[in-house]
Amino acid sequence: MKDKLIKIKNTVLDKLNTVNNEVELKAIDLQYFSRKGEISELMHHLKELSSEQKREIGALANQIKKELESKMKETRSFFDEKTNLNEVSDITLPGRKLKKGHLHPITIIQREVEDLFTSLGFSIIDGPELESDYYNFSALNIPPLHPARDMQDTFYVSSPDDKKQELDLVMRTHTSPVQIRAMKKYGAPLKVVIPGRCFRNEATDARHEHTFYQFEGMMIGENINFSNLKSLLEIVGKKLFGEDTKLRMRPKYYPFVEPGNNGEYTCFLCGGKGCRVCKNTGWLEIVGAGLIHPDVLRAGGVDPEKYSGLAFGFGLTRLAMLKYAVNDARLFNSGDLRFLEQF
Ligand code: PHE
């Protein structure tokens, strides 16, 4: 019995030391280590020994069994590792595609418009999204209780002091407050554009979202006049919607410009014939614009006797909706990858 044990030990160790591949290893496993393998078989025969022999040989058998099992384990892990190495180094396998991020559709449009204006000599600046009541409204000729505030209701943060209304904060309703900030900071002459996020208290629907993006422009100099505004808006239209695009300007009231107007472009989809997108008018209302009101220049510390200026603003969100034929403004902020991955 003792001899048998030693013999099996040597045979198995030998085999494990010279095994070449996993198939051979499996065969060894089956022959010796399985439930009906030779090792179990031997252990089974221990029962037939006298109790004295059992004590001696039993101990030896257990020791050999343990030793072989640990050698088996070691050999198996050697092959496992080898398999892993083979996997890593198989350079002929086709690679797994990494998902790359990409720009948000609003950012794509924003960059396109920024490129146009920097090529025309404008600088890009920005301002705070949480704005003072003063910059957002009062400095732009919209004093407290002015009805124009109704159209741009927003999210207010009250000042701790009820009487100091000028300390009230609002989530800015447009990018126009940065006009004042820019004049104060840089003085005149000045050529800047201001892209940015704006907020309004809206009952949201497909065309109204509480958070949206605008693009503001402003130019101040000694002889800035209405024809400068018109030619600039013509260039913008051609760049955004194509060379054949025409502009028409219709009067519109904004308290911070005088005269104020609405810039409309021929519909890029139907070329002005009338379609669903332009509601059969042939025209798309895109941009609010005008010559900067003297009071607004003064609020920015610019002398209206010496300087005049033009300003305009349009919705980047609306532009993106038109260009990409998106029918719901809320999709842009939804974070829904099924939507975003289309751009
Ligand atoms: N701030 C205006 C709006 O949000 C747009 C505008 C900007 C109009 C500049 C005139 C001049 O509707």
Side-chain angles (χ1 to χ4, degrees):
M1 187 74 181
K2 207 171 169 180
D3 291 345
K4 268 194 186 162
L5 277 171
I6 306 250
K7 193 167 161 231
I8 204 167
K9 173 183 161 182
N10 289 335
T11 322
V12 175
L13 281 181
D14 230 35
K15 287 197 174 187
L16 285 179
N17 277 330
T18 53
V19 61
N20 286 316
N21 52 46
E22 284 186 290
V23 182
E24 285 178 25
L25 187 69
K26 203 135 198 189
I28 299 171
D29 194 19
L30 205 70
Q31 187 180 349
Y32 296 98
F33 293 89
S34 63
R35 213 154 48 82
K36 290 194 169 157
E38 290 184 25
I39 297 177
S40 314
E41 189 94 331
L42 260 178
M43 301 302 269
H44 211 67
H45 288 304
L46 287 178
K47 276 202 295 219
E48 295 150 17
L49 301 174
S50 70
S51 55
E52 197 161 311
Q53 280 178 312
K54 237 186 230 166
R55 212 171 302 134
E56 190 200 336
I57 302 197
L60 178 69
N62 271 331
Q63 188 211 320
I64 288 178
K65 189 173 173 228
K66 259 201 197 134
E67 193 181 328
L68 291 181
E69 274 170 357
S70 105
K71 178 73 184 174
M72 180 69 188
K73 211 168 142 195
E74 193 183 296
T75 315
R76 196 178 286 131
S77 72
F78 168 78
F79 278 109
D80 283 351
E81 241 167 63
K82 210 166 148 189
T83 318
N84 286 343
L85 277 179
N86 283 345
E87 261 170 27
V88 171
S89 59
D90 183 356
I91 56 166
T92 62
L93 277 176
R96 276 194 204 128
K97 258 206 178 149
L98 286 182
K99 269 202 174 178
K100 262 205 276 176
H102 58 86
L103 296 178
H104 190 278
I106 303 272
T107 312
I108 298 174
I109 297 269
Q110 181 181 323
R111 296 220 175 148
E112 200 178 302
V113 186
E114 280 174 1
D115 280 353
L116 167 66
F117 281 98
T118 47
S119 79
L120 295 172
F122 285 78
S123 309
I124 304 169
I125 61 169
D126 63 9
E129 292 174 355
L130 183 61
E131 185 54 281
S132 71
D133 179 284
Y134 174 75
Y135 281 129
N136 195 79
F137 293 124
S138 306
L140 292 169
N141 253 349
I142 318 175
L145 304 181
H146 191 289
R149 288 197 178 209
D150 286 352
M151 297 190 301
Q152 301 195 359
D153 190 19
T154 182
F155 303 98
Y156 286 85
V157 183
S158 318
S159 121
D161 184 342
D162 270 354
K163 285 177 206 79
K164 291 203 169 143
Q165 208 172 24
E166 71 273 14
L167 293 182
D168 284 355
L169 296 173
V170 298
M171 297 305 285
R172 69 174 176 196
T173 57
H174 48 177
T175 39
S176 302
V178 192
Q179 287 187 25
I180 309 286
R181 289 181 176 273
M183 283 189 269
K184 282 192 159 181
K185 188 162 177 193
Y186 303 110
L190 189 60
K191 266 171 96 176
V192 291
V193 286
I194 308 136
R197 187 155 60 162
C198 305
F199 311 85
R200 288 185 198 178
N201 179 11
E202 298 278 6
T204 57
D205 61 31
R207 278 154 36 87
H208 299 91
E209 173 62 304
H210 50 69
T211 302
F212 55 97
Y213 289 79
Q214 283 198 342
F215 195 96
E216 186 96 8
M218 156 161 102
M219 188 165 159
I220 298 175
E222 285 195 22
N223 284 308
I224 300 296
N225 56 39
F226 204 84
S227 48
N228 297 133
L229 177 62
K230 185 164 182 247
S231 67
L232 186 61
L233 293 185
E234 264 167 2
I235 294 171
V236 173
K238 286 187 186 352
K239 164 78 182 175
L240 291 180
F241 302 117
E243 274 305 308
D244 298 332
T245 307
K246 288 188 183 57
L247 167 75
R248 78 174 178 189
M249 300 175 89
R250 303 210 289 179
K252 169 136 189 203
Y253 173 66
Y254 295 100
F256 35 94
V257 284
E258 177 60 37
N261 60 84
N262 218 347
E264 302 177 7
Y265 295 111
T266 40
C267 176
F268 64 94
L269 210 74
C270 62
K273 287 190 206 72
C275 68
R276 202 177 47 83
V277 171
C278 58
K279 299 200 196 86
N280 280 316
T281 62
W283 296 92
L284 294 170
E285 279 183 38
I286 298 290
V287 54
L291 295 182
I292 302 173
H293 195 288
D295 285 348
V296 175
L297 289 174
R298 245 176 250 121
V302 170
D303 179 4
E305 297 300 325
K306 184 164 181 213
Y307 292 105
S308 54
L310 61 83
F312 59 89
F314 53 83
L316 281 176
T317 303
R318 176 161 153 71
L319 211 57
M321 286 179 78
L322 286 169
K323 282 203 95 166
Y324 294 128
V326 174
N327 57 15
D328 194 327
R330 294 166 294 189
L331 285 168
F332 291 105
N333 296 331
S334 67
D336 188 339
L337 289 179
R338 288 170 306 176
F339 169 70
L340 293 173
E341 279 173 351
Q342 295 177 50
F343 299 93

